[in-house]
Amino acid sequence: MIFFNKDEQLENLGHGILDATWEAFSTLARNQIALTWVVYDPPVPVNTGGALTPDAFWNHPVRGFSYRGVERIYPASVVKLFYLVAVNEWLEKGMSQTSKELERALRDMIIDSSNDATSLVVDILTGTTSGPELPIGPFETWKYQRNIINRYYQSLGWEEMETINVCQKTWGDGPYGRERAFVGELLENRNMLTTNAIARLVHSIIGGVAVSSTRSQAMMALLKRNLQDLPTYFEEDQVTGFLGGGLPEDAQIWSKAGWTSQVRHDVAYIELPNQRPYLLVVFTEGKAQAKNREILPFVSKLVAEAISSL
């Protein structure tokens, strides 16, 4: 069962937003955008400081809309959310120990989207390291270890996680050595996510039920973005050119963006003053979209306006 209920009001609003977006951006094809939008009606079950038990939370109905929400898409740095939750699970279960370096890497992985930091996190999660190519036997063992994160997400029993792949590091220039062999000749083993899977993971974090309420709140603290005080010198602040770029300054946003020369994505939990809070995941694909810093803010602004009509 998908975690949100389809809703006629949101279906109508969602399709209207998509139509307006295609009209405004002629380069954006119908199959180059995917979107999942979840609205939290009162009594709001998220961002409560962990007030709800997991059972109460998962049984609390929420409504949502998705367009191509089950399509597997290369997620770029949005995958770092999955590594963040997995590390917290490992720490909670005593499978890993925390350290100053791991804490620094987690911060840099989420706040600055550092690929180097992510490399350390994946090494710690899987007990593997990058390096030269390996002989067949050791490489099979190495690959099995690298897939431990996938096995964790499969073990949750969530329908949305059945088709995802989260086992690769994120790169600046790309993988070399055993990492290149692991991703596959045609990149067939690259990371793949759906907007519905990402929405469910973030829903669990903001619901305070990802690993534990304390750890969920610590993860939320890393995801918080400041709309008032954006750096003027930083090309990719994960707000301008992304969903935060379409919001008023008094909005609150918790988000994680991802971008390459081929994709531009963002996922955000958003609170507007005196409105229903909501969760929005928007993925866009294609070179033209990856470069376009207007599409995600445009969609975000329309969703914010739609929220005020609910």
Side-chain angles (χ1 to χ4, degrees):
M1 275 288 290
I2 193 157
F3 76 96
F4 58 84
N5 301 321
K6 291 201 164 164
D7 173 86
E8 194 182 349
Q9 183 186 32
L10 294 184
E11 292 278 322
N12 292 337
L13 288 167
H15 285 299
I17 288 164
L18 286 165
D19 288 340
T21 305
W22 286 315
E23 199 174 311
F25 301 97
S26 57
T27 60
L28 180 67
R30 304 268 153 163
N31 66 347
Q32 289 181 316
I33 185 168
L35 181 152
T36 301
W37 176 30
V38 177
V39 174
Y40 298 108
D41 299 302
V44 173
V46 293
N47 203 8
T48 60
L52 292 181
T53 64
D55 273 356
F57 178 74
W58 288 117
N59 287 317
H60 187 102
V62 292
R63 57 188 179 133
F65 164 77
S66 76
Y67 173 76
R68 299 181 71 241
V70 296
E71 296 292 330
R72 298 173 84 242
I73 296 170
Y74 178 68
S77 291
V78 174
V79 76
K80 293 166 186 175
L81 285 169
F82 286 73
Y83 300 157
L84 174 68
V85 172
V87 162
N88 276 280
E89 175 73 19
W90 274 221
L91 293 170
E92 187 75 9
K93 295 281 193 300
M95 291 160 60
S96 288
Q97 262 53 57
T98 193
S99 67
K100 273 195 176 142
E101 277 303 276
L102 176 56
E103 295 296 329
R104 182 170 78 98
L106 287 174
R107 274 196 311 275
D108 293 350
M109 175 174 83
I110 299 300
I111 295 170
D112 303 326
S113 208
S114 161
N115 292 332
D116 293 348
T118 308
S119 180
L120 176 72
V121 171
V122 171
D123 286 347
I124 288 172
L125 279 168
T126 62
T128 62
T129 53
S130 305
E133 287 164 277
L134 290 164
I136 290 171
F139 191 42
E140 286 305 310
T141 306
W142 186 94
K143 287 194 288 191
Y144 181 78
Q145 280 296 109
R146 273 298 274 275
N147 276 305
I148 190 171
I149 310 164
N150 277 324
R151 290 193 294 278
Y152 164 60
Y153 283 107
Q154 298 302 321
S155 77
L156 297 177
W158 297 350
E159 177 188 310
E160 296 88 350
M161 301 296 166
E162 285 169 11
T163 61
I164 71 170
N165 189 38
V166 287
C167 60
Q168 300 290 346
K169 294 184 173 184
T170 51
W171 302 101
D173 297 331
Y176 291 85
R178 67 189 70 161
E179 298 284 357
R180 183 67 188 82
F182 183 52
V183 81
E185 195 63 40
L186 305 171
L187 309 181
E188 61 271 21
N189 193 34
R190 71 200 310 216
N191 288 332
M192 293 300 248
L193 287 170
T194 68
T195 58
N196 282 357
I198 295 154
R200 178 143 195 185
L201 186 76
V202 177
H203 178 65
S204 76
I205 297 171
I206 60 182
V209 299
V211 185
S212 71
S213 68
T214 310
R215 289 193 178 277
S216 291
Q217 288 171 72
M219 291 187 259
M220 277 193 80
L222 292 177
L223 294 165
K224 185 85 171 76
R225 309 274 167 200
N226 186 339
L227 297 182
Q228 285 90 15
D229 187 27
L230 293 173
T232 47
Y233 57 91
F234 190 38
E235 227 276 282
E236 304 287 7
D237 52 37
Q238 300 189 70
V239 173
T240 43
F242 297 98
L243 296 175
L247 297 176
E249 270 199 359
D250 57 356
Q252 304 274 328
I253 179 171
W254 292 257
S255 71
K256 181 71 199 77
W259 62 93
T260 66
S261 61
Q262 301 290 334
V263 299
R264 180 174 282 264
H265 305 325
D266 201 7
V267 46
Y269 166 66
I270 293 163
E271 294 181 352
L272 300 169
N274 309 313
Q275 305 290 350
R276 288 166 164 78
Y278 59 97
L279 169 57
L280 182 61
V281 188
V282 185
F283 271 27
T284 62
E285 297 182 272
K287 273 199 163 136
Q289 282 61 253
K291 282 208 280 280
N292 194 322
R293 299 172 66 87
E294 307 302 321
I295 300 175
L296 293 181
F298 181 87
V299 174
S300 183
K301 185 169 187 289
L302 292 185
V303 171
E305 285 165 5
I307 283 288
S308 63
S309 74
L310 296 180

PDB file of all heavy atoms in Angstrom, residues 171-204:
ATOM      1  N   TRP A 171      29.628  11.197  -7.202  1.00  0.00           N
ATOM      2  CA  TRP A 171      30.948  11.579  -7.727  1.00  0.00           C
ATOM      3  C   TRP A 171      30.944  12.983  -8.319  1.00  0.00           C
ATOM      4  O   TRP A 171      29.926  13.456  -8.790  1.00  0.00           O
ATOM      5  CB  TRP A 171      31.375  10.589  -8.821  1.00  0.00           C
ATOM      6  CG  TRP A 171      31.427   9.183  -8.343  1.00  0.00           C
ATOM      7  CD1 TRP A 171      30.488   8.203  -8.538  1.00  0.00           C
ATOM      8  CD2 TRP A 171      32.453   8.589  -7.550  1.00  0.00           C
ATOM      9  NE1 TRP A 171      30.877   7.034  -7.925  1.00  0.00           N
ATOM     10  CE2 TRP A 171      32.080   7.244  -7.318  1.00  0.00           C
ATOM     11  CE3 TRP A 171      33.673   9.054  -7.028  1.00  0.00           C
ATOM     12  CZ2 TRP A 171      32.867   6.363  -6.576  1.00  0.00           C
ATOM     13  CZ3 TRP A 171      34.452   8.181  -6.301  1.00  0.00           C
ATOM     14  CH2 TRP A 171      34.050   6.855  -6.066  1.00  0.00           C
ATOM     15  N   GLY A 172      32.139  13.592  -8.294  1.00  0.00           N
ATOM     16  CA  GLY A 172      32.334  14.820  -9.053  1.00  0.00           C
ATOM     17  C   GLY A 172      32.629  14.457 -10.501  1.00  0.00           C
ATOM     18  O   GLY A 172      31.889  14.786 -11.419  1.00  0.00           O
ATOM     19  N   ASP A 173      33.713  13.718 -10.709  1.00  0.00           N
ATOM     20  CA  ASP A 173      34.118  13.347 -12.074  1.00  0.00           C
ATOM     21  C   ASP A 173      33.592  11.987 -12.485  1.00  0.00           C
ATOM     22  O   ASP A 173      33.527  11.679 -13.666  1.00  0.00           O
ATOM     23  CB  ASP A 173      35.650  13.323 -12.189  1.00  0.00           C
ATOM     24  CG  ASP A 173      36.251  14.700 -11.956  1.00  0.00           C
ATOM     25  OD1 ASP A 173      35.555  15.684 -12.262  1.00  0.00           O
ATOM     26  OD2 ASP A 173      37.389  14.787 -11.465  1.00  0.00           O
ATOM     27  N   GLY A 174      33.266  11.148 -11.542  1.00  0.00           N
ATOM     28  CA  GLY A 174      32.802   9.805 -11.885  1.00  0.00           C
ATOM     29  C   GLY A 174      33.658   8.747 -11.216  1.00  0.00           C
ATOM     30  O   GLY A 174      34.704   9.041 -10.643  1.00  0.00           O
ATOM     31  N   PRO A 175      33.202   7.475 -11.254  1.00  0.00           N
ATOM     32  CA  PRO A 175      33.881   6.392 -10.544  1.00  0.00           C
ATOM     33  C   PRO A 175      35.086   5.837 -11.308  1.00  0.00           C
ATOM     34  O   PRO A 175      35.115   5.877 -12.540  1.00  0.00           O
ATOM     35  CB  PRO A 175      32.787   5.327 -10.424  1.00  0.00           C
ATOM     36  CG  PRO A 175      31.899   5.547 -11.604  1.00  0.00           C
ATOM     37  CD  PRO A 175      31.950   7.017 -11.898  1.00  0.00           C
ATOM     38  N   TYR A 176      36.043   5.312 -10.549  1.00  0.00           N
ATOM     39  CA  TYR A 176      37.229   4.653 -11.113  1.00  0.00           C
ATOM     40  C   TYR A 176      37.438   3.319 -10.415  1.00  0.00           C
ATOM     41  O   TYR A 176      36.973   3.112  -9.299  1.00  0.00           O
ATOM     42  CB  TYR A 176      38.471   5.542 -10.933  1.00  0.00           C
ATOM     43  CG  TYR A 176      38.432   6.782 -11.798  1.00  0.00           C
ATOM     44  CD1 TYR A 176      37.777   7.931 -11.375  1.00  0.00           C
ATOM     45  CD2 TYR A 176      39.040   6.787 -13.055  1.00  0.00           C
ATOM     46  CE1 TYR A 176      37.720   9.068 -12.174  1.00  0.00           C
ATOM     47  CE2 TYR A 176      38.996   7.922 -13.866  1.00  0.00           C
ATOM     48  CZ  TYR A 176      38.333   9.054 -13.416  1.00  0.00           C
ATOM     49  OH  TYR A 176      38.278  10.164 -14.220  1.00  0.00           O
ATOM     50  N   GLY A 177      38.179   2.426 -11.084  1.00  0.00           N
ATOM     51  CA  GLY A 177      38.558   1.167 -10.448  1.00  0.00           C
ATOM     52  C   GLY A 177      37.356   0.291 -10.145  1.00  0.00           C
ATOM     53  O   GLY A 177      36.469   0.102 -10.972  1.00  0.00           O
ATOM     54  N   ARG A 178      37.344  -0.264  -8.928  1.00  0.00           N
ATOM     55  CA  ARG A 178      36.250  -1.180  -8.550  1.00  0.00           C
ATOM     56  C   ARG A 178      34.897  -0.476  -8.572  1.00  0.00           C
ATOM     57  O   ARG A 178      33.879  -1.103  -8.839  1.00  0.00           O
ATOM     58  CB  ARG A 178      36.528  -1.814  -7.184  1.00  0.00           C
ATOM     59  CG  ARG A 178      36.506  -0.866  -6.007  1.00  0.00           C
ATOM     60  CD  ARG A 178      36.995  -1.488  -4.703  1.00  0.00           C
ATOM     61  NE  ARG A 178      38.421  -1.743  -4.732  1.00  0.00           N
ATOM     62  CZ  ARG A 178      39.174  -1.931  -3.652  1.00  0.00           C
ATOM     63  NH1 ARG A 178      38.617  -1.896  -2.447  1.00  0.00           N
ATOM     64  NH2 ARG A 178      40.463  -2.163  -3.751  1.00  0.00           N
ATOM     65  N   GLU A 179      34.895   0.832  -8.310  1.00  0.00           N
ATOM     66  CA  GLU A 179      33.635   1.588  -8.338  1.00  0.00           C
ATOM     67  C   GLU A 179      33.076   1.647  -9.764  1.00  0.00           C
ATOM     68  O   GLU A 179      31.873   1.539  -9.975  1.00  0.00           O
ATOM     69  CB  GLU A 179      33.849   3.018  -7.808  1.00  0.00           C
ATOM     70  CG  GLU A 179      34.309   3.092  -6.364  1.00  0.00           C
ATOM     71  CD  GLU A 179      33.193   2.834  -5.350  1.00  0.00           C
ATOM     72  OE1 GLU A 179      32.024   2.656  -5.752  1.00  0.00           O
ATOM     73  OE2 GLU A 179      33.506   2.807  -4.146  1.00  0.00           O
ATOM     74  N   ARG A 180      33.978   1.779 -10.745  1.00  0.00           N
ATOM     75  CA  ARG A 180      33.532   1.816 -12.146  1.00  0.00           C
ATOM     76  C   ARG A 180      32.959   0.457 -12.561  1.00  0.00           C
ATOM     77  O   ARG A 180      31.924   0.374 -13.233  1.00  0.00           O
ATOM     78  CB  ARG A 180      34.698   2.204 -13.072  1.00  0.00           C
ATOM     79  CG  ARG A 180      34.312   2.340 -14.553  1.00  0.00           C
ATOM     80  CD  ARG A 180      33.376   3.530 -14.742  1.00  0.00           C
ATOM     81  NE  ARG A 180      32.816   3.593 -16.102  1.00  0.00           N
ATOM     82  CZ  ARG A 180      31.769   2.891 -16.532  1.00  0.00           C
ATOM     83  NH1 ARG A 180      31.170   2.037 -15.718  1.00  0.00           N
ATOM     84  NH2 ARG A 180      31.310   3.033 -17.760  1.00  0.00           N
ATOM     85  N   ALA A 181      33.623  -0.591 -12.117  1.00  0.00           N
ATOM     86  CA  ALA A 181      33.138  -1.943 -12.419  1.00  0.00           C
ATOM     87  C   ALA A 181      31.786  -2.187 -11.753  1.00  0.00           C
ATOM     88  O   ALA A 181      30.899  -2.826 -12.330  1.00  0.00           O
ATOM     89  CB  ALA A 181      34.154  -2.981 -11.944  1.00  0.00           C
ATOM     90  N   PHE A 182      31.604  -1.656 -10.553  1.00  0.00           N
ATOM     91  CA  PHE A 182      30.384  -1.887  -9.774  1.00  0.00           C
ATOM     92  C   PHE A 182      29.170  -1.177 -10.383  1.00  0.00           C
ATOM     93  O   PHE A 182      28.050  -1.683 -10.345  1.00  0.00           O
ATOM     94  CB  PHE A 182      30.611  -1.421  -8.327  1.00  0.00           C
ATOM     95  CG  PHE A 182      29.456  -1.675  -7.397  1.00  0.00           C
ATOM     96  CD1 PHE A 182      28.889  -2.941  -7.287  1.00  0.00           C
ATOM     97  CD2 PHE A 182      28.943  -0.655  -6.609  1.00  0.00           C
ATOM     98  CE1 PHE A 182      27.827  -3.179  -6.420  1.00  0.00           C
ATOM     99  CE2 PHE A 182      27.888  -0.891  -5.725  1.00  0.00           C
ATOM    100  CZ  PHE A 182      27.325  -2.149  -5.633  1.00  0.00           C
ATOM    101  N   VAL A 183      29.397   0.007 -10.946  1.00  0.00           N
ATOM    102  CA  VAL A 183      28.260   0.755 -11.496  1.00  0.00           C
ATOM    103  C   VAL A 183      27.794   0.152 -12.828  1.00  0.00           C
ATOM    104  O   VAL A 183      26.653   0.359 -13.250  1.00  0.00           O
ATOM    105  CB  VAL A 183      28.586   2.266 -11.613  1.00  0.00           C
ATOM    106  CG1 VAL A 183      29.383   2.585 -12.854  1.00  0.00           C
ATOM    107  CG2 VAL A 183      27.322   3.110 -11.562  1.00  0.00           C
ATOM    108  N   GLY A 184      28.670  -0.665 -13.466  1.00  0.00           N
ATOM    109  CA  GLY A 184      28.272  -1.392 -14.671  1.00  0.00           C
ATOM    110  C   GLY A 184      28.697  -0.692 -15.943  1.00  0.00           C
ATOM    111  O   GLY A 184      28.768   0.535 -16.006  1.00  0.00           O
ATOM    112  N   GLU A 185      28.962  -1.506 -16.947  1.00  0.00           N
ATOM    113  CA  GLU A 185      29.425  -1.003 -18.241  1.00  0.00           C
ATOM    114  C   GLU A 185      28.495   0.077 -18.790  1.00  0.00           C
ATOM    115  O   GLU A 185      28.923   1.105 -19.286  1.00  0.00           O
ATOM    116  CB  GLU A 185      29.489  -2.187 -19.221  1.00  0.00           C
ATOM    117  CG  GLU A 185      30.283  -1.931 -20.483  1.00  0.00           C
ATOM    118  CD  GLU A 185      31.762  -1.645 -20.214  1.00  0.00           C
ATOM    119  OE1 GLU A 185      32.370  -2.291 -19.335  1.00  0.00           O
ATOM    120  OE2 GLU A 185      32.292  -0.747 -20.891  1.00  0.00           O
ATOM    121  N   LEU A 186      27.180  -0.148 -18.666  1.00  0.00           N
ATOM    122  CA  LEU A 186      26.179   0.803 -19.186  1.00  0.00           C
ATOM    123  C   LEU A 186      25.508   1.580 -18.048  1.00  0.00           C
ATOM    124  O   LEU A 186      24.383   2.062 -18.199  1.00  0.00           O
ATOM    125  CB  LEU A 186      25.120   0.043 -19.996  1.00  0.00           C
ATOM    126  CG  LEU A 186      25.670  -0.814 -21.133  1.00  0.00           C
ATOM    127  CD1 LEU A 186      24.591  -1.700 -21.731  1.00  0.00           C
ATOM    128  CD2 LEU A 186      26.281   0.079 -22.222  1.00  0.00           C
ATOM    129  N   LEU A 187      26.206   1.657 -16.912  1.00  0.00           N
ATOM    130  CA  LEU A 187      25.681   2.342 -15.714  1.00  0.00           C
ATOM    131  C   LEU A 187      24.378   1.694 -15.218  1.00  0.00           C
ATOM    132  O   LEU A 187      23.545   2.342 -14.589  1.00  0.00           O
ATOM    133  CB  LEU A 187      25.444   3.840 -15.971  1.00  0.00           C
ATOM    134  CG  LEU A 187      26.605   4.634 -16.575  1.00  0.00           C
ATOM    135  CD1 LEU A 187      26.223   6.095 -16.747  1.00  0.00           C
ATOM    136  CD2 LEU A 187      27.863   4.516 -15.705  1.00  0.00           C
ATOM    137  N   GLU A 188      24.232   0.389 -15.507  1.00  0.00           N
ATOM    138  CA  GLU A 188      22.960  -0.271 -15.186  1.00  0.00           C
ATOM    139  C   GLU A 188      22.752  -0.438 -13.680  1.00  0.00           C
ATOM    140  O   GLU A 188      21.639  -0.683 -13.231  1.00  0.00           O
ATOM    141  CB  GLU A 188      22.858  -1.634 -15.895  1.00  0.00           C
ATOM    142  CG  GLU A 188      23.934  -2.651 -15.524  1.00  0.00           C
ATOM    143  CD  GLU A 188      25.195  -2.582 -16.397  1.00  0.00           C
ATOM    144  OE1 GLU A 188      25.445  -1.542 -17.034  1.00  0.00           O
ATOM    145  OE2 GLU A 188      25.935  -3.588 -16.407  1.00  0.00           O
ATOM    146  N   ASN A 189      23.815  -0.291 -12.892  1.00  0.00           N
ATOM    147  CA  ASN A 189      23.680  -0.433 -11.434  1.00  0.00           C
ATOM    148  C   ASN A 189      23.754   0.917 -10.722  1.00  0.00           C
ATOM    149  O   ASN A 189      24.010   0.981  -9.532  1.00  0.00           O
ATOM    150  CB  ASN A 189      24.770  -1.377 -10.903  1.00  0.00           C
ATOM    151  CG  ASN A 189      24.502  -1.818  -9.468  1.00  0.00           C
ATOM    152  OD1 ASN A 189      23.364  -1.994  -9.067  1.00  0.00           O
ATOM    153  ND2 ASN A 189      25.562  -1.978  -8.685  1.00  0.00           N
ATOM    154  N   ARG A 190      23.533   1.993 -11.459  1.00  0.00           N
ATOM    155  CA  ARG A 190      23.598   3.312 -10.794  1.00  0.00           C
ATOM    156  C   ARG A 190      22.432   3.462  -9.817  1.00  0.00           C
ATOM    157  O   ARG A 190      21.446   2.716  -9.878  1.00  0.00           O
ATOM    158  CB  ARG A 190      23.624   4.434 -11.820  1.00  0.00           C
ATOM    159  CG  ARG A 190      22.327   4.663 -12.557  1.00  0.00           C
ATOM    160  CD  ARG A 190      22.511   5.432 -13.860  1.00  0.00           C
ATOM    161  NE  ARG A 190      23.295   6.644 -13.680  1.00  0.00           N
ATOM    162  CZ  ARG A 190      23.085   7.791 -14.342  1.00  0.00           C
ATOM    163  NH1 ARG A 190      22.119   7.882 -15.236  1.00  0.00           N
ATOM    164  NH2 ARG A 190      23.833   8.846 -14.119  1.00  0.00           N
ATOM    165  N   ASN A 191      22.552   4.412  -8.913  1.00  0.00           N
ATOM    166  CA  ASN A 191      21.462   4.675  -7.966  1.00  0.00           C
ATOM    167  C   ASN A 191      20.187   5.034  -8.732  1.00  0.00           C
ATOM    168  O   ASN A 191      20.243   5.760  -9.726  1.00  0.00           O
ATOM    169  CB  ASN A 191      21.821   5.844  -7.041  1.00  0.00           C
ATOM    170  CG  ASN A 191      22.885   5.477  -6.036  1.00  0.00           C
ATOM    171  OD1 ASN A 191      23.011   4.326  -5.643  1.00  0.00           O
ATOM    172  ND2 ASN A 191      23.663   6.467  -5.592  1.00  0.00           N
ATOM    173  N   MET A 192      19.056   4.536  -8.243  1.00  0.00           N
ATOM    174  CA  MET A 192      17.758   4.871  -8.830  1.00  0.00           C
ATOM    175  C   MET A 192      16.733   5.031  -7.712  1.00  0.00           C
ATOM    176  O   MET A 192      16.678   4.203  -6.800  1.00  0.00           O
ATOM    177  CB  MET A 192      17.292   3.780  -9.798  1.00  0.00           C
ATOM    178  CG  MET A 192      18.135   3.641 -11.056  1.00  0.00           C
ATOM    179  SD  MET A 192      18.164   5.161 -12.056  1.00  0.00           S
ATOM    180  CE  MET A 192      17.259   4.642 -13.475  1.00  0.00           C
ATOM    181  N   LEU A 193      15.936   6.098  -7.809  1.00  0.00           N
ATOM    182  CA  LEU A 193      14.885   6.335  -6.819  1.00  0.00           C
ATOM    183  C   LEU A 193      13.609   6.778  -7.525  1.00  0.00           C
ATOM    184  O   LEU A 193      13.648   7.189  -8.686  1.00  0.00           O
ATOM    185  CB  LEU A 193      15.319   7.420  -5.824  1.00  0.00           C
ATOM    186  CG  LEU A 193      16.380   7.024  -4.790  1.00  0.00           C
ATOM    187  CD1 LEU A 193      16.889   8.244  -4.035  1.00  0.00           C
ATOM    188  CD2 LEU A 193      15.806   6.011  -3.799  1.00  0.00           C
ATOM    189  N   THR A 194      12.508   6.705  -6.795  1.00  0.00           N
ATOM    190  CA  THR A 194      11.245   7.258  -7.288  1.00  0.00           C
ATOM    191  C   THR A 194      10.840   8.407  -6.366  1.00  0.00           C
ATOM    192  O   THR A 194      11.242   8.442  -5.187  1.00  0.00           O
ATOM    193  CB  THR A 194      10.122   6.203  -7.270  1.00  0.00           C
ATOM    194  OG1 THR A 194       9.800   5.901  -5.901  1.00  0.00           O
ATOM    195  CG2 THR A 194      10.543   4.920  -7.980  1.00  0.00           C
ATOM    196  N   THR A 195      10.045   9.334  -6.887  1.00  0.00           N
ATOM    197  CA  THR A 195       9.619  10.449  -6.018  1.00  0.00           C
ATOM    198  C   THR A 195       8.727   9.935  -4.879  1.00  0.00           C
ATOM    199  O   THR A 195       8.743  10.496  -3.781  1.00  0.00           O
ATOM    200  CB  THR A 195       8.911  11.563  -6.819  1.00  0.00           C
ATOM    201  OG1 THR A 195       7.779  11.036  -7.497  1.00  0.00           O
ATOM    202  CG2 THR A 195       9.857  12.203  -7.825  1.00  0.00           C
ATOM    203  N   ASN A 196       7.982   8.848  -5.118  1.00  0.00           N
ATOM    204  CA  ASN A 196       7.160   8.286  -4.027  1.00  0.00           C
ATOM    205  C   ASN A 196       8.027   7.694  -2.915  1.00  0.00           C
ATOM    206  O   ASN A 196       7.707   7.835  -1.725  1.00  0.00           O
ATOM    207  CB  ASN A 196       6.224   7.202  -4.562  1.00  0.00           C
ATOM    208  CG  ASN A 196       5.006   7.774  -5.275  1.00  0.00           C
ATOM    209  OD1 ASN A 196       4.813   8.984  -5.330  1.00  0.00           O
ATOM    210  ND2 ASN A 196       4.192   6.897  -5.839  1.00  0.00           N
ATOM    211  N   ALA A 197       9.125   7.005  -3.301  1.00  0.00           N
ATOM    212  CA  ALA A 197      10.013   6.410  -2.282  1.00  0.00           C
ATOM    213  C   ALA A 197      10.659   7.503  -1.432  1.00  0.00           C
ATOM    214  O   ALA A 197      10.759   7.383  -0.202  1.00  0.00           O
ATOM    215  CB  ALA A 197      11.087   5.555  -2.954  1.00  0.00           C
ATOM    216  N   ILE A 198      11.078   8.583  -2.085  1.00  0.00           N
ATOM    217  CA  ILE A 198      11.712   9.693  -1.359  1.00  0.00           C
ATOM    218  C   ILE A 198      10.692  10.346  -0.428  1.00  0.00           C
ATOM    219  O   ILE A 198      10.986  10.651   0.731  1.00  0.00           O
ATOM    220  CB  ILE A 198      12.268  10.724  -2.350  1.00  0.00           C
ATOM    221  CG1 ILE A 198      13.397  10.094  -3.176  1.00  0.00           C
ATOM    222  CG2 ILE A 198      12.766  11.972  -1.640  1.00  0.00           C
ATOM    223  CD1 ILE A 198      13.580  10.725  -4.527  1.00  0.00           C
ATOM    224  N   ALA A 199       9.476  10.531  -0.949  1.00  0.00           N
ATOM    225  CA  ALA A 199       8.426  11.146  -0.122  1.00  0.00           C
ATOM    226  C   ALA A 199       8.170  10.306   1.126  1.00  0.00           C
ATOM    227  O   ALA A 199       8.022  10.842   2.223  1.00  0.00           O
ATOM    228  CB  ALA A 199       7.146  11.315  -0.935  1.00  0.00           C
ATOM    229  N   ARG A 200       8.138   8.978   0.972  1.00  0.00           N
ATOM    230  CA  ARG A 200       7.866   8.133   2.143  1.00  0.00           C
ATOM    231  C   ARG A 200       8.998   8.228   3.164  1.00  0.00           C
ATOM    232  O   ARG A 200       8.757   8.281   4.371  1.00  0.00           O
ATOM    233  CB  ARG A 200       7.670   6.672   1.728  1.00  0.00           C
ATOM    234  CG  ARG A 200       7.441   5.793   2.950  1.00  0.00           C
ATOM    235  CD  ARG A 200       6.450   4.693   2.726  1.00  0.00           C
ATOM    236  NE  ARG A 200       6.022   4.115   3.999  1.00  0.00           N
ATOM    237  CZ  ARG A 200       5.223   3.071   4.093  1.00  0.00           C
ATOM    238  NH1 ARG A 200       4.741   2.489   2.999  1.00  0.00           N
ATOM    239  NH2 ARG A 200       4.876   2.600   5.268  1.00  0.00           N
ATOM    240  N   LEU A 201      10.241   8.263   2.673  1.00  0.00           N
ATOM    241  CA  LEU A 201      11.371   8.366   3.607  1.00  0.00           C
ATOM    242  C   LEU A 201      11.316   9.684   4.377  1.00  0.00           C
ATOM    243  O   LEU A 201      11.458   9.717   5.604  1.00  0.00           O
ATOM    244  CB  LEU A 201      12.701   8.249   2.848  1.00  0.00           C
ATOM    245  CG  LEU A 201      13.915   8.201   3.776  1.00  0.00           C
ATOM    246  CD1 LEU A 201      14.056   6.827   4.427  1.00  0.00           C
ATOM    247  CD2 LEU A 201      15.200   8.557   3.025  1.00  0.00           C
ATOM    248  N   VAL A 202      11.092  10.785   3.662  1.00  0.00           N
ATOM    249  CA  VAL A 202      11.055  12.100   4.316  1.00  0.00           C
ATOM    250  C   VAL A 202       9.827  12.207   5.225  1.00  0.00           C
ATOM    251  O   VAL A 202       9.900  12.794   6.313  1.00  0.00           O
ATOM    252  CB  VAL A 202      11.107  13.232   3.272  1.00  0.00           C
ATOM    253  CG1 VAL A 202      10.982  14.595   3.944  1.00  0.00           C
ATOM    254  CG2 VAL A 202      12.428  13.164   2.491  1.00  0.00           C
ATOM    255  N   HIS A 203       8.716  11.629   4.802  1.00  0.00           N
ATOM    256  CA  HIS A 203       7.511  11.560   5.650  1.00  0.00           C
ATOM    257  C   HIS A 203       7.857  10.913   7.002  1.00  0.00           C
ATOM    258  O   HIS A 203       7.428  11.387   8.054  1.00  0.00           O
ATOM    259  CB  HIS A 203       6.456  10.743   4.899  1.00  0.00           C
ATOM    260  CG  HIS A 203       5.170  10.530   5.612  1.00  0.00           C
ATOM    261  ND1 HIS A 203       4.303  11.551   5.936  1.00  0.00           N
ATOM    262  CD2 HIS A 203       4.557   9.378   6.057  1.00  0.00           C
ATOM    263  CE1 HIS A 203       3.230  11.047   6.551  1.00  0.00           C
ATOM    264  NE2 HIS A 203       3.365   9.740   6.630  1.00  0.00           N
ATOM    265  N   SER A 204       8.670   9.864   6.968  1.00  0.00           N
ATOM    266  CA  SER A 204       9.040   9.186   8.224  1.00  0.00           C
ATOM    267  C   SER A 204       9.969  10.047   9.080  1.00  0.00           C
ATOM    268  O   SER A 204       9.880  10.037  10.304  1.00  0.00           O
ATOM    269  CB  SER A 204       9.670   7.814   7.937  1.00  0.00           C
ATOM    270  OG  SER A 204      11.005   7.928   7.480  1.00  0.00           O
TER     271      SER A 204
END
